[in-house]
Amino acid sequence: PPPPPPAAAAATSTTLPIVEVRSPQDFDDLCVRASATPPPVGGPVILDLYADWCGPCKQLTPKLEALVTAAGGTVRLAKVNVDNLPEIAQALQVASLPTVMLLHGGKIVDSFKGVLPDDKVKEFVDKAVALAGGPDASGPKALEEAAALLEGGDIPAAAAKYAEICALPELAAAAKAGLALCALQDDQLSAAQDLVADLTKNHAADLEAPPVRKAIAAVALAVDAPEGGRPVSELRLALEADRDDHAARYELAQRLLVSGEQADAIDELLLIVRRDKAWSDGAARLLLLKVFDALGSGHELTKKGRRRLSNFLNI
């Protein structure tokens, strides 16, 4: 079964791309431990040791911040004010400012002092990115990998990847949405519903994000799926006898959705809208919108289906 998302406590500032170290415990968590944790949750950490009175520090820090931000989460910048944390500066034997160090695997693997030319600063950050495994080690790339695993049917691997990404606050909602889809694919409707409830409660600001809408709609479709009822063959016979039996056509569309035949289900629902858009208070249109959300806005069936629906509604 898909693993549960990590506890909320796991989603802390340890995953942010730029952090300020405010205590020795912060240094241990945000720098040493984070650098020893594999990406995308952890990864190489660049230490920027500075002081407020240091002019060159004020030139260098913005450059480091810009380069780390551009790296998209593959590497992190931890800023240490040596006046506030002299014990850390002493432990690291900092003799001048600014001093920049690169931590990987919990150890210092490179460093420089002073303000280097821009190309040399970029080389230093690029080295950190390379140690992380390259640009593909970022959180968004990990989400893409998880989605590809799910699409390919490798549910355990996809669920494990999504569960790991849940530790990244900015991606937690999308990762939990992915876990809900994994649960659906694994016939764990109750677990999928629990994840949707968690999204609704704890990620209200992300509910309109495409991955989250997709998962919520997919779970809603699964919940609404009819139990029992007539088999597909009987429903088709009923429609041969009466092409305007919209109740039979609607039930057929529901059956097709359950069996994964979305294209045929969309065709049946669009036919209802074309012939009687107001049937059953617009039930066919409402179900179509759920299907489009479940497929995602970028899916070809959604694009074509929305165009056809718009045409029929405007007739």
Side-chain angles (χ1 to χ4, degrees):
T12 67
S13 59
T14 57
T15 62
L16 298 176
I18 301 174
V19 295
E20 183 77 30
V21 176
R22 302 187 185 281
S23 69
Q25 185 62 53
D26 269 0
F27 182 78
D28 189 46
D29 291 338
L30 305 180
C31 304
V32 180
R33 293 181 187 275
S35 75
T37 303
V41 177
V45 175
I46 295 173
L47 289 180
D48 176 18
L49 296 124
Y50 75 97
D52 290 335
W53 48 262
C54 171
C57 298
K58 294 176 182 179
Q59 298 175 36
L60 178 62
T61 296
K63 297 176 182 180
L64 290 171
E65 290 176 340
L67 289 168
V68 167
T69 299
T74 55
V75 63
R76 291 171 173 82
L77 177 66
K79 300 188 291 183
V80 181
N81 187 322
V82 297
D83 286 339
N84 296 336
L85 295 168
E87 63 271 43
I88 291 177
Q90 183 177 2
L92 295 174
Q93 298 181 343
V94 176
S96 63
L97 296 178
T99 292
V100 178
M101 299 180 176
L102 174 57
L103 271 65
H104 179 57
K107 300 177 180 179
I108 298 171
V109 295
D110 201 356
S111 66
F112 69 84
K113 298 176 183 179
V115 179
L116 299 180
D118 289 356
D119 60 334
K120 294 299 181 181
V121 176
K122 186 177 185 303
E123 282 182 17
F124 189 86
V125 176
D126 286 346
K127 177 178 180 177
V129 172
L131 287 172
D136 289 347
S138 68
K141 288 290 185 181
L143 268 180
E144 292 177 11
E145 292 171 7
L149 288 167
L150 179 58
E151 184 73 20
D154 193 344
I155 298 171
K161 180 74 73 174
Y162 279 127
E164 180 184 26
I165 301 168
C166 280
L168 296 168
E170 68 276 17
L171 299 178
K176 289 178 183 179
L179 280 174
L181 294 176
C182 289
L184 277 184
Q185 291 287 332
D186 207 31
D187 295 324
Q188 297 186 56
L189 180 56
S190 178
Q193 288 177 286
D194 288 344
L195 284 158
V196 166
D198 180 270
L199 285 167
T200 303
K201 179 181 178 181
N202 298 314
H203 300 277
D206 298 303
L207 294 182
E208 290 303 312
V212 178
R213 286 186 61 174
K214 177 178 180 178
I216 291 174
V219 173
L221 283 176
V223 171
D224 293 342
E227 295 182 6
R230 294 174 285 178
V232 169
S233 57
E234 184 177 327
L235 290 167
R236 292 194 186 281
L237 287 173
L239 288 169
E240 287 179 11
D242 181 4
R243 291 171 57 84
D244 290 325
D245 185 349
H246 299 323
R249 195 174 299 281
Y250 187 86
E251 188 178 349
L252 173 61
Q254 289 179 304
R255 293 286 171 203
L256 293 171
L257 287 172
V258 171
S259 62
E261 300 172 76
Q262 287 94 344
D264 290 341
I266 289 171
D267 286 342
E268 299 295 347
L269 291 168
L270 284 169
L271 191 52
I272 295 174
V273 174
R274 181 181 179 184
R275 292 181 174 173
D276 187 356
K277 65 185 72 173
W279 175 78
S280 190
D281 295 325
R285 178 184 65 85
L286 294 175
L287 184 53
L288 275 167
L289 295 178
K290 286 185 180 180
V291 173
F292 296 153
D293 272 349
L295 289 171
S297 59
H299 199 289
E300 196 60 33
L301 288 176
T302 298
K303 295 177 183 178
K304 291 181 179 179
R306 284 192 183 278
R307 285 196 296 268
R308 293 171 65 194
L309 176 61
S310 178
N311 289 338
F312 292 156
L313 290 175
N314 291 325
I315 290 176

